[in-house]
Amino acid sequence: MSFNKSRGGGLGGAGAGAGGDELVLRGSISKKWTFLLCLGSFCIGLLFTSRMWTMPEPKEIIRRSRLEVEKTNLVAGDCAPKSIDDAKDVPGEVPRTQDVIQTLDKTISNLEMELASAKASQESMLNGAPMSESTGKWKYFMVIGINTAFSSRKRRDSVRATWMPQGEKRRKMEEEKGIIIRFVIGHSATPGGILDRAIDAEDRKHEDFMRLDHVEGYLELAAKTKAYFVAAVSMWDAEYYIKVDDDVHVNIATLGNTLARHRSKPRAYVGCMKSGPVLAQKGVRYHEPEYWKFGEWGNKYFRHATGQLYAISKDLASYIALNQHVLHKYANEDVSLGSWFIGLDVEHVDDRRLCCGTPPDCEWKAQAANVCAASFDWSCSGICKSADRIKEVHQRCGESENAIWNAKF
């Protein structure tokens, strides 16, 4: 009896022990799964957050810190009270800034002139012209600048067909005679426009232009003349610099022989000297707005060369280049040039061979062995209808074709 009870109790204890082991096993399994589930969730969370949020690179941190510092300094600088001395210095800085700007402009202008001179020297070296010992540039006898305009294509072609040598003959004249001839023109009010492109195309064909940093316009002839002499001096070292209009006939050899007679004059101003009236009335041609500077009503200008053709020696051209910023411009170009030499020790040479009339005047003089250097009509301030008539003037008053090659300057 007691045996049965103890056995039964043993079995019941065994059953209870088995049930406890099963519960322990289930608890351990659930803990493992929970641990694995948490670990997996943690890993997935790390992966997700690593894609959504990245650490800034060191460069960005440095850049941000610099920007913050600059912002802080800017705010601090704006907020800082300005002293009375700083406020007083503000008006004084304006003229100083203007002086600096003017100095920079002059420096740039000088550098441009030197660059142009260097280019010209290189071209001259290739052409084989004689070199000047004083300047290191190639030495020429005279530079002839033919003043022209955008609308004067027919005039230019008529000059090319008559007294201005072309192609190899012109290059030979530069090398052997030291004579440079160029059409002188600036640019239009809209650089690069149709007018400028037309001149570019014409220059590519003939290679006989001298381009100026100047806006073309009838009222700007004095400024153009000044720009021409400044550029010519920087590009070529010559004894004489000549300005002539594109409606004037020129005998180059006669002009050269005329100027060669004045080599002993270091500051020679050669042309047909005149002294016309100062026109105070508005609306008339050649009106002078600054007429009051020349005295009473009805007074005349000082002596100056007529604008169709004149020549100045190297010293005078260099004087214009050096003082270009302070030389005053009057309404008329020839008056302006003459005014620049007032007060200087200048030799005014009045030579009427530089202003002969068209046939029969120049023809009679040529027959009398007094060949004219230049011919034009006073009534037209040039040859009337020059594009059509200059060929006739050249045939009747022009020097022989070999005159320039036989000339000795």
Side-chain angles (χ1 to χ4, degrees), residues 147-157 202 246:
N147 184 36
T148 191
F150 290 112
S151 59
S152 299
R153 175 62 189 266
K154 290 184 178 180
R155 287 185 179 182
R156 291 191 292 273
D157 287 340
E202 189 177 346
D246 60 4

Side-chain angles (χ1 to χ4, degrees), residues 22 39-40 50 107 155 179 191 195 260 301 303 312 322 401 405:
E22 184 176 355
L39 181 62
S50 65
T107 303
R155 287 185 179 182
I179 299 174
L195 296 176
Y301 288 113
R303 288 285 173 181
I312 60 176
L322 292 173
E401 186 176 351
W405 310 115

Side-chain angles (χ1 to χ4, degrees), residues 180-247:
I180 303 289
I181 305 179
R182 296 288 189 274
F183 286 107
V184 181
I185 196 169
H187 58 80
S188 64
T190 56
I194 187 171
L195 296 176
D196 295 294
R197 292 198 299 271
I199 293 296
D200 292 338
E202 189 177 346
D203 191 23
R204 285 192 295 270
K205 179 179 179 180
H206 297 282
E207 298 181 344
D208 56 3
F209 277 94
M210 177 182 177
R211 304 299 297 272
L212 301 177
D213 183 14
H214 166 80
V215 179
E216 286 290 322
Y218 180 76
L219 298 178
E220 297 297 328
L221 289 178
K224 182 177 181 179
T225 298
K226 186 198 298 184
Y228 159 63
F229 285 119
V230 171
V233 168
S234 68
M235 295 174 68
W236 299 290
D237 181 10
E239 294 184 54
Y240 292 99
Y241 299 86
I242 297 97
K243 176 261 175 183
V244 60
D245 291 338
D246 60 4
D247 56 353

Side-chain angles (χ1 to χ4, degrees), residues 253-306:
T254 304
L255 176 62
N257 288 325
T258 301
L259 296 179
R261 297 190 184 99
H262 306 290
R263 273 179 162 151
S264 60
K265 306 179 180 76
R267 291 172 296 280
Y269 175 30
V270 187
C272 291
M273 299 296 163
K274 67 175 184 177
S275 179
V278 180
L279 301 179
Q281 184 180 354
K282 292 183 179 180
V284 300
R285 192 179 186 186
Y286 307 126
H287 164 65
E288 178 58 72
E290 298 181 87
Y291 61 89
W292 58 273
K293 289 185 177 180
F294 299 93
E296 299 300 325
W297 187 285
N299 275 5
K300 291 186 176 182
Y301 288 113
F302 40 77
R303 288 285 173 181
H304 61 279
T306 184

